[in-house]
Amino acid sequence: MTAAIASPSRSRGLRAMLAGARLAPLLDSSALLASMLRFEAALARAQADCGIVPREAADTIGAVCSRLLGDPAELASVFDPAALATEARRAGTLAIPFVRRLTDAVAATDTQAARFVHLGSTSQDVVDTATVIQARAAARELDAMLVALGDALAALADRHRGTVMTGRTLLQPALPVSFGWKAASWLDQLARARRLLARTVDEQAVLQFGGAAGTLASLGDCAPQLARALAEGLALPAPATSWHGARDRLARIGAELAMVCGAAARIGRDVSLLMQPEVGEAFEPSAAGRGGSSAMPHKRNPVGSMLALEAAFRAPALAGTLLAELVSEHERGLGTWQNSAFVLADLFEAAGSAVEAMTEVVAGLRVEPEAMRTNLARTGGFVFAEAVAMKLSESLGRQAAAALVERICHRALDTGHPLRQALAEDPETREALSSAELDALFDPATGLTGATAMLDAVLADWRAARDGE
Amino acid sequence: MTAAIASPSRSRGLRAMLAGARLAPLLDSSALLASMLRFEAALARAQADCGIVPREAADTIGAVCSRLLGDPAELASVFDPAALATEARRAGTLAIPFVRRLTDAVAATDTQAARFVHLGSTSQDVVDTATVIQARAAARELDAMLVALGDALAALADRHRGTVMTGRTLLQPALPVSFGWKAASWLDQLARARRLLARTVDEQAVLQFGGAAGTLASLGDCAPQLARALAEGLALPAPATSWHGARDRLARIGAELAMVCGAAARIGRDVSLLMQPEVGEAFEPSAAGRGGSSAMPHKRNPVGSMLALEAAFRAPALAGTLLAELVSEHERGLGTWQNSAFVLADLFEAAGSAVEAMTEVVAGLRVEPEAMRTNLARTGGFVFAEAVAMKLSESLGRQAAAALVERICHRALDTGHPLRQALAEDPETREALSSAELDALFDPATGLTGATAMLDAVLADWRAARDGE
Amino acid sequence: MTAAIASPSRSRGLRAMLAGARLAPLLDSSALLASMLRFEAALARAQADCGIVPREAADTIGAVCSRLLGDPAELASVFDPAALATEARRAGTLAIPFVRRLTDAVAATDTQAARFVHLGSTSQDVVDTATVIQARAAARELDAMLVALGDALAALADRHRGTVMTGRTLLQPALPVSFGWKAASWLDQLARARRLLARTVDEQAVLQFGGAAGTLASLGDCAPQLARALAEGLALPAPATSWHGARDRLARIGAELAMVCGAAARIGRDVSLLMQPEVGEAFEPSAAGRGGSSAMPHKRNPVGSMLALEAAFRAPALAGTLLAELVSEHERGLGTWQNSAFVLADLFEAAGSAVEAMTEVVAGLRVEPEAMRTNLARTGGFVFAEAVAMKLSESLGRQAAAALVERICHRALDTGHPLRQALAEDPETREALSSAELDALFDPATGLTGATAMLDAVLADWRAARDGE
Amino acid sequence: MTAAIASPSRSRGLRAMLAGARLAPLLDSSALLASMLRFEAALARAQADCGIVPREAADTIGAVCSRLLGDPAELASVFDPAALATEARRAGTLAIPFVRRLTDAVAATDTQAARFVHLGSTSQDVVDTATVIQARAAARELDAMLVALGDALAALADRHRGTVMTGRTLLQPALPVSFGWKAASWLDQLARARRLLARTVDEQAVLQFGGAAGTLASLGDCAPQLARALAEGLALPAPATSWHGARDRLARIGAELAMVCGAAARIGRDVSLLMQPEVGEAFEPSAAGRGGSSAMPHKRNPVGSMLALEAAFRAPALAGTLLAELVSEHERGLGTWQNSAFVLADLFEAAGSAVEAMTEVVAGLRVEPEAMRTNLARTGGFVFAEAVAMKLSESLGRQAAAALVERICHRALDTGHPLRQALAEDPETREALSSAELDALFDPATGLTGATAMLDAVLADWRAARDGE
């Protein structure tokens, strides 16, 4: 449960404090390099299938890649990130020093096989496809995390379908709602974020394979067949055309990740508001070392919500960067794709941080139904004003009823009386509504029919999505 | 053809110069008010169907709305935008002064009917649903515009499948490509933008109906039935729950509109680069009054491309605003939805401007195949270097072949000889490649197999999408 | 007082609900056109001074411009915004149709004088300089509005220097602070925003005058002299060089406007939190028609704060657009400046809306010192924990003292006792602190020395800035 | 010279390819921790000066901090970033685990001294002030880098004051300009970015010291004196009040860093356009391993420009994040400051990357005056049309002259004749202009008076700024 705020990845330094533990290993330098190796191995294999590369050469390339993939220490030594980065900066692309090192590593086994490394491909093919592979892996893990958060929300919604509380609009009391319905509202948005992220990744995270200019020119007639074989080898969809100049695919994934951050942060915003001691309706779980203060020993801070909110401050801008990079020049843009892998990783990291943090919060949320009832009672019954006006409108019409109720509300506010009493004292109201009718109107449970129907519909959707898996 | 850069809407003042003519009337104040009227009429009708409102009252409300919808002058007089805006600013929502005026207008016909205007609904219901109605109308028109642009691109792609030109990566010559393939690349991205905008609007532009706090509390047991009836009456999907606190639906539409801007602007970037006189490979159409300069009588500026680029500078930020507003408080956020209708309208306007401008550009594009060939020839044959290296790698391996070709390239650059000649003079190459083989490698058409296959796949996708309609 | 939420400009339609009343007239189409006329008149006059244009011609041009400036009806008829926008869209710039109409208007008086309209200038000269003139006028008005808001904050700070309340960090109670200090914190940021906006506009809103390519090529040797004369005529600073390709000047103004929005919205965030009924420490002023609900007659919504927050959601993105447009091509960018005047106007509008709204809120703020004291008391004394720990650290050291206080805090929380009591019952504490010392530590006023010193320093800065004017 | 694209920092993994080498060590985890240590040492020292902490304790704390600062290995072992990040994530702030470790380290030397570590301070004090210290160090280094780039631009401007080339507006030829003037235009913007970044850091990067809620409550009467002493000890300005809730200070630094990115990227955009082989007017320097292609041996890519453009795609969004975080709650915001140090570091990193890359480009730029002349000649003389029109307007008036020149331009375009010839053949022109006058008008150097005056003014400003140091 508390793993959420634990053990982030080493490769980000102190920045890991704003990243979750589960996605980080899928997003760091080694993960990107591993995806690049997978691309090169699959390329050689597909080229062997198409007869462009000798089978033994492809096997050797594949074996070397497998060995490196299986041995993090050798991987880190062959592809030292700092050295690679230095050369990549000079070359303008990570692929050039990467391919050089891989070729050398293959040559150490078999100089003949080394001839066929990266054949007919180009820098952006390997970098973009590796980004796509990385995105799929991260999205898969994030999906599992979203399921956990969604399940926690569904449980909360179900458990609290009858827990009455103040509904608040524009930060002011509006009407009674149920906490279950509130949780279902969070779930509805989160479920949408989950479903659409998954669909977007499925549709947009596809093979990029185009060669030097995107036309697979050097591969001649076997180009289409090879592209299909490579896609199959990597278990990636094969698009109609190479897309290295069309950055919308990755930008769409980025936008959906910002949606995930927003869905999580909206919950965090509400929890942190409910946790204000003057409100006191729900609390983040507490644990040793969690949410303290260096100066105030008594503090219990909403740190999970804070992490989600922090992520949601960064995500729109990161998604906006990918949108700005859509305007790419000719067959390969200048500055419009070189940061894609990193910006997308930042977005995954932010989403992972927010979802991890909020899963811990929601799963351990301490709900205070008593405080909810008390706060509702303290509203002086004004939250039932709409129901009264609605009932009165049957006889008076909406506008006249609204005017009457507004008048009585102000009288109640002026005298400090609860609305129930002020209504009972008003002759016009007494004529229109019996005491029993008034009682029914002031029962918080009366108005929850619609809320409960919505709650059930949201839960049904969630379960259907879960069952369909 | 030149309508694109003509007659924008009056209501935007000089800003209309950055808006297209076709979408503007669907996005202005009257259009929003008309959508609000449609909501109120449908609400009364659905409530009559559910027995909450007398049929005659609903009919009267509907009749008054219809009359206003049919009479722009009366509409503008009853709902004077400036006066409405002033009151809306005080009230914090447009709905309050709007409903007051509508109630008065209905009361002028029938005071009994006026009692039932806006019954059980809340401000955000009418504003959000009106935004959704407006978005659907604008999206429908934009879709037709995207079809026109897509058809123009498809025609260009088909016509120029054999038109050879320089493929350019990082603004440097890479390999020969066909202009048809280039156009197909533009089309592929645009078709995706079209399809996903349509799907997003279909899925996300749904009825918002929740009443005061989102639970339809005042409607009692008939809430779900009424919500369905209202959705049906407005021909909108009915969601599982009210979504006024979940701003992701509109944010998704906004993100897809930024994708449309980006897809159009990418074409504009390329056209403006091709139109540089030193390149001279394609030109925007010319017409009286189009793209001149106040100081330079000879200028013909790429103004269509400019408009698309301008839109793409604004769109990511606007989409980012909607993403930032996901963090909404409780049952109705403070500042997180009040600008949604306007920000979304700005995004539609930007997309409409970009698509209109680029449709005129693409439909009237003057392509210069001769200049394309000349520029390709002027590259000294270096654009064929990859093909030569690929061929040589069959005998020498990729790395050795690359090294050899690089050496010869540098020699050719040093001596100023074309690559073909430098290769012919190199003994190692002569041994590996016959003169006929070299000739084939230097034929630009040789490497287009892959490009043509991609082009055909993109065209097939486009036609399938068009036929499926 | 209530003017803030009143009478916005007609030219923005319903959008005016999110714009203030005071800046709007300085930002609309007529204001831009008026600034363009001022440029053309000053240009002719400066050219007459330099002997390039006959004095009579300059006088005539000036007279026609003056007449148009003085007659809004004629201005609107000669320069109909919708027609201008249509032509501007085709031409790619507003200047071309504008200059054509002005030339015609001058020719109607004197065909000889008409020869000299806009001589040696270019589109961007008049559009950028008009933007600068408009920005200066709007900034001047906004400065006056910021002074009013600052004065209201200063009064609040001074009045409430002794009003003790709960300081809240991460939305949890931290320590007692004074409401005056809180208001001074708001003021400090706002004063900085005011000062730096003014300085930025002073330094960056300078004449743009470069002619066709920015070099004033057609003006020969008199170019520098003319540029100086023109700057003087427009009361604008003359920069070292034309800056039409350097968009940083306007971007800096935009960034400072986002700072203004943020400074105002931060106050709005706090006010809306204090106004939650469970907190109830401060309230926006109420007035007829202000902050009601279409469904809930009793509601009093924080609409002023809402308007400020809404503006602050839009501003960062708009400022980001101007930052993105820094990457401009060669001697005049493609899409990077055409929207500057409108984006900057949007930013001024957002800032004006936020400042107007918050000035009304702050000037009419109902502060509830009693509720502040009550909420502080309800914290159970834990807000004094840091003071106790600090005192104890004198004898025990920081870490041991913190550990002890933390232990006692948890005991108090477990038993439900106030911290004062729990401390009194703890032997270790009793040994270290006398009862009188404890009493002093639990006096909220004790810890305000630092706060009051800061408050006074902020007020002194504000007064110094006000006096220096 | 080629150091720019070399040896980035190890701590960023592959991301270092998008960071420069010079700033990276000032921005990584160790640099942040070092700044935090400096804060704690200075705090103890200032507290000893004020008599709050025993002198020996402060000396010990200072000695331990110094030892850690001097021993990177011990620093990394005591403050292991990954472990710190894990705990910081749980605690919600980096300061808590940091202070715990530091206290332990001091206690290992002297348990008495350990009592006084971090006394009276709070998490955000140390984190924000460390961010400020880090920003000052990075800004100082960046300033030196900007001086190098500015000097290179100044040299270029001076050297090429007479190098005539085509001025291009909207990517079309406009008028002749000098390459020196173009370089001066770049310099003017860059010098402004340099000056205003330095001023902003000077003014805004000030001490943050407020204690638990910002009021220095626990420090009693000595609070103001201590704050001054601490500021002095850290060589930081002391603000009127604590500013932890006012995020505008850091946001302003962020905005100026985006200005630096934009100024550098604008040069990169122009260089990459000039380097198109069809234009061929300027080239990035070439060197082994620089700007190659994995597929195309002949390629020389504009990788320096690419790096600058890449940075400028990220910077506006990062600056926008800081602007969005201005809306901070009460006395310490939730999610609005926790990422400040990292977002600001990202901005410094982007700026450093862009400036390093462009310094290498500008210092080694290969300018081709011959190609500039040739391209200018190939414009057919149309770039002199404005000068001709301007001259003719002396006798015909601006509008008639413009119309005549436009007519002749079109005739020339239709016949394919150069403009000079078409003018000579036109009777009306012949009457108005002698052949010698025409010759003078077609001399590119004729129109450079204004350009050269601007160039000299920019150079004078630059030198004055340099001399004033």
Side-chain angles (χ1 to χ4, degrees), chain D residues 76-440:
Chain D
S77 124
V78 173
F79 301 105
D80 172 57
L84 266 178
T86 301
E87 290 173 55
R89 190 165 166 82
R90 285 191 65 74
T93 166
L94 181 55
I96 291 181
F98 168 82
V99 169
R100 188 179 311 127
R101 278 167 170 75
L102 177 59
T103 304
D104 291 349
V106 172
T109 298
D110 175 358
T111 53
Q112 284 302 99
R115 298 177 169 206
F116 298 99
V117 170
H118 193 63
L119 192 77
S121 180
T122 195
S123 296
Q124 203 175 349
D125 288 345
V126 56
V127 173
D128 271 350
T129 300
T131 303
V132 155
I133 294 171
Q134 194 176 32
R136 284 193 170 252
R140 208 172 306 122
E141 184 69 17
L142 183 54
D143 187 74
M145 294 160 63
L146 286 164
V147 165
L149 177 49
D151 283 346
L153 287 169
L156 212 55
D158 203 24
R159 196 178 324 133
H160 290 284
R161 50 175 63 236
T163 306
V164 173
M165 70 182 295
T166 311
R168 295 170 172 99
T169 60
L170 308 180
L171 288 182
Q172 292 292 312
L175 294 188
V177 300
S178 70
F179 182 64
W181 172 82
K182 191 178 180 74
S185 301
W186 296 335
L187 173 59
D188 181 58
Q189 181 173 356
L190 190 94
R192 202 153 48 238
R194 181 202 165 208
R195 188 174 69 247
L196 296 181
L197 173 62
R199 186 172 73 184
T200 301
V201 170
D202 271 356
E203 293 178 357
Q204 305 301 338
V206 303
L207 176 70
Q208 160 56 27
F209 187 50
T215 58
L216 292 173
S218 64
L219 294 166
D221 295 346
C222 64
Q225 185 201 344
L226 176 57
R228 276 191 304 275
L230 178 55
E232 207 171 300
L234 289 165
L236 293 174
T241 183
S242 58
W243 54 269
H244 53 311
R247 310 309 296 168
D248 61 303
R249 292 181 178 276
L250 299 185
R252 277 194 183 86
I253 299 175
E256 282 300 332
L257 289 167
M259 301 291 172
V260 171
C261 291
R266 180 189 167 205
I267 308 174
R269 175 73 84 199
D270 282 359
V271 168
S272 63
L273 289 170
L274 295 175
M275 194 168 154
Q276 296 171 101
E278 297 87 353
V279 178
E281 300 185 4
F283 294 88
E284 290 202 2
S286 61
R290 195 175 183 287
S293 156
S294 75
M296 291 166 288
H298 65 289
K299 283 265 280 190
R300 198 169 77 195
N301 289 318
V303 288
S305 300
M306 184 194 85
L307 288 168
L309 288 162
E310 177 282 319
F313 274 109
R314 283 185 292 137
L318 293 166
T321 293
L322 295 177
L323 289 173
E325 293 179 344
L326 294 184
V327 186
S328 185
E329 297 91 3
H330 287 321
E331 278 62 69
R332 191 182 317 292
L334 206 63
T336 54
W337 64 277
Q338 287 79 4
N339 55 28
S340 301
F342 303 122
V343 174
L344 205 61
D346 284 344
L347 277 159
F348 269 111
E349 208 170 78
S353 176
V355 172
E356 266 192 35
M358 289 317 298
T359 302
E360 185 177 351
V361 168
V362 171
L365 195 72
R366 183 152 65 79
V367 180
E368 300 286 352
E370 184 56 39
M372 291 174 173
R373 268 192 303 276
T374 307
N375 285 335
L376 187 58
R378 276 167 58 200
T379 61
F382 293 103
V383 292
F384 300 102
E386 194 221 13
V388 173
M390 187 75 186
K391 183 77 185 169
L392 285 171
S393 71
E394 289 172 15
S395 45
L396 308 175
R398 195 192 64 82
Q399 194 146 296
L404 172 63
V405 173
E406 195 168 6
R407 231 170 23 245
I408 301 174
C409 278
H410 290 161
R411 198 182 311 147
L413 288 164
D414 290 345
T415 58
H417 291 170
L419 180 61
R420 175 74 181 79
Q421 177 181 347
L423 286 164
E425 290 165 6
D426 178 72
E428 202 172 347
T429 311
R430 262 209 314 268
E431 190 168 320
L433 296 175
S434 72
S435 180
E437 280 174 319
L438 266 179
D439 284 345

Side-chain angles (χ1 to χ4, degrees), chain B residues 159-244:
Chain B
R159 195 178 324 133
H160 290 285
R161 51 174 64 236
T163 306
V164 173
M165 71 183 294
T166 311
R168 294 169 173 101
T169 60
L170 307 181
L171 288 182
Q172 292 294 311
L175 293 189
V177 301
S178 70
F179 182 64
W181 172 82
K182 192 178 180 74
S185 299
W186 295 336
L187 173 58
D188 181 57
Q189 181 173 355
L190 190 93
R192 202 153 51 238
R194 181 202 166 208
R195 187 174 71 247
L196 295 182
L197 173 63
R199 186 171 74 182
T200 301
V201 170
D202 271 357
E203 294 178 357
Q204 304 301 338
V206 303
L207 176 69
Q208 160 55 26
F209 187 50
T215 58
L216 292 174
S218 65
L219 293 167
D221 295 346
C222 64
Q225 183 200 345
L226 176 56
R228 277 192 303 274
L230 178 54
E232 207 171 301
L234 288 166
L236 293 175
T241 182
S242 58
W243 54 270
H244 53 311

Side-chain angles (χ1 to χ4, degrees), chain C residues 103 115 117 168 170 182 192 199 203 248-249 252 256 270 330-332 395 397-399, chain D residues 103 115 117 168 170 182 192 199 203 248-249 252 256 270 330-332 395 397-399 449:
Chain C
T103 305
R115 296 178 170 207
V117 170
R168 295 170 173 100
L170 307 181
K182 192 177 178 76
R192 203 154 47 238
R199 186 172 72 183
E203 293 178 357
D248 61 303
R249 292 180 177 276
R252 277 194 183 85
E256 281 301 331
D270 282 0
H330 287 321
E331 277 65 67
R332 191 181 319 292
S395 45
R398 196 193 61 83
Q399 193 145 297
Chain D
T103 304
R115 298 177 169 206
V117 170
R168 295 170 172 99
L170 308 180
K182 191 178 180 74
R192 202 153 48 238
R199 186 172 73 184
E203 293 178 357
D248 61 303
R249 292 181 178 276
R252 277 194 183 86
E256 282 300 332
D270 282 359
H330 287 321
E331 278 62 69
R332 191 182 317 292
S395 45
R398 195 192 64 82
Q399 194 146 296
T449 314

Side-chain angles (χ1 to χ4, degrees), chain B residues 153-453:
Chain B
L153 286 169
L156 212 55
D158 204 23
R159 195 178 324 133
H160 290 285
R161 51 174 64 236
T163 306
V164 173
M165 71 183 294
T166 311
R168 294 169 173 101
T169 60
L170 307 181
L171 288 182
Q172 292 294 311
L175 293 189
V177 301
S178 70
F179 182 64
W181 172 82
K182 192 178 180 74
S185 299
W186 295 336
L187 173 58
D188 181 57
Q189 181 173 355
L190 190 93
R192 202 153 51 238
R194 181 202 166 208
R195 187 174 71 247
L196 295 182
L197 173 63
R199 186 171 74 182
T200 301
V201 170
D202 271 357
E203 294 178 357
Q204 304 301 338
V206 303
L207 176 69
Q208 160 55 26
F209 187 50
T215 58
L216 292 174
S218 65
L219 293 167
D221 295 346
C222 64
Q225 183 200 345
L226 176 56
R228 277 192 303 274
L230 178 54
E232 207 171 301
L234 288 166
L236 293 175
T241 182
S242 58
W243 54 270
H244 53 311
R247 311 309 297 167
D248 61 303
R249 291 181 178 276
L250 299 185
R252 277 195 183 83
I253 299 176
E256 281 301 332
L257 288 167
M259 301 290 173
V260 171
C261 291
R266 181 189 165 205
I267 308 174
R269 176 73 83 199
D270 282 359
V271 168
S272 62
L273 289 171
L274 294 175
M275 194 169 156
Q276 296 170 100
E278 296 87 355
V279 177
E281 299 185 5
F283 294 89
E284 290 202 4
S286 60
R290 195 175 183 288
S293 155
S294 75
M296 292 165 286
H298 65 288
K299 282 265 281 190
R300 198 169 76 195
N301 289 318
V303 289
S305 300
M306 184 194 85
L307 289 168
L309 287 162
E310 177 282 320
F313 274 109
R314 283 186 292 136
L318 293 166
T321 293
L322 295 177
L323 289 174
E325 292 179 344
L326 294 183
V327 186
S328 185
E329 298 91 2
H330 287 319
E331 279 63 69
R332 191 182 317 292
L334 206 62
T336 54
W337 64 276
Q338 287 78 4
N339 55 28
S340 301
F342 303 123
V343 174
L344 204 62
D346 283 344
L347 277 159
F348 269 112
E349 207 169 80
S353 177
V355 172
E356 267 191 36
M358 289 317 299
T359 302
E360 184 177 351
V361 167
V362 171
L365 194 73
R366 183 151 65 79
V367 181
E368 300 286 353
E370 184 57 38
M372 290 173 174
R373 266 192 303 277
T374 307
N375 285 336
L376 188 57
R378 275 167 57 200
T379 61
F382 292 102
V383 293
F384 300 103
E386 194 221 12
V388 173
M390 187 75 186
K391 183 76 185 168
L392 284 172
S393 71
E394 290 174 14
S395 46
L396 308 176
R398 196 192 62 82
Q399 193 147 297
L404 172 61
V405 172
E406 195 168 5
R407 228 167 28 243
I408 302 174
C409 278
H410 291 160
R411 198 181 310 146
L413 289 164
D414 290 346
T415 57
H417 292 171
L419 180 61
R420 176 73 180 78
Q421 178 181 344
L423 285 164
E425 289 165 7
D426 178 73
E428 201 172 346
T429 312
R430 261 208 315 269
E431 188 168 322
L433 296 175
S434 72
S435 181
E437 280 173 321
L438 267 179
D439 284 346
L441 287 169
F442 276 77
D443 175 359
T446 300
L448 292 184
T449 314
T452 304

Side-chain angles (χ1 to χ4, degrees), chain C residues 11 15 58 76 92 96 98 105 149 174 183 232 252 260 263 269 281 300 309-310 319 321 330 343 374 421 434 444 463:
Chain C
S11 69
R15 282 165 194 263
I96 291 180
F98 168 83
L149 177 49
E232 206 172 301
R252 277 194 183 85
V260 170
R269 175 73 84 198
E281 299 185 4
R300 199 170 76 194
L309 287 162
E310 177 281 321
T321 295
H330 287 321
V343 174
T374 307
Q421 178 181 344
S434 72
R463 282 167 195 148

Side-chain angles (χ1 to χ4, degrees), chain B residues 120-161:
Chain B
S121 181
T122 195
S123 297
Q124 202 175 349
D125 288 345
V126 56
V127 172
D128 271 349
T129 301
T131 302
V132 155
I133 294 171
Q134 195 175 32
R136 284 194 169 254
R140 208 173 306 121
E141 183 70 16
L142 183 55
D143 187 73
M145 294 159 65
L146 285 164
V147 166
L149 177 51
D151 284 345
L153 286 169
L156 212 55
D158 204 23
R159 195 178 324 133
H160 290 285
R161 51 174 64 236

Side-chain angles (χ1 to χ4, degrees), chain C residues 74-150:
Chain C
E74 192 187 355
L75 183 75
S77 122
V78 173
F79 300 106
D80 173 57
L84 266 179
T86 302
E87 290 173 55
R89 191 166 165 80
R90 286 191 64 73
T93 167
L94 182 54
I96 291 180
F98 168 83
V99 169
R100 188 180 311 125
R101 278 167 169 78
L102 177 60
T103 305
D104 290 349
V106 172
T109 298
D110 176 357
T111 53
Q112 285 301 100
R115 296 178 170 207
F116 298 100
V117 170
H118 194 63
L119 191 78
S121 181
T122 194
S123 297
Q124 202 175 350
D125 288 346
V126 57
V127 172
D128 270 350
T129 300
T131 302
V132 155
I133 294 171
Q134 195 175 32
R136 285 193 167 253
R140 209 174 303 122
E141 184 70 15
L142 183 55
D143 188 73
M145 295 160 64
L146 286 165
V147 166
L149 177 49

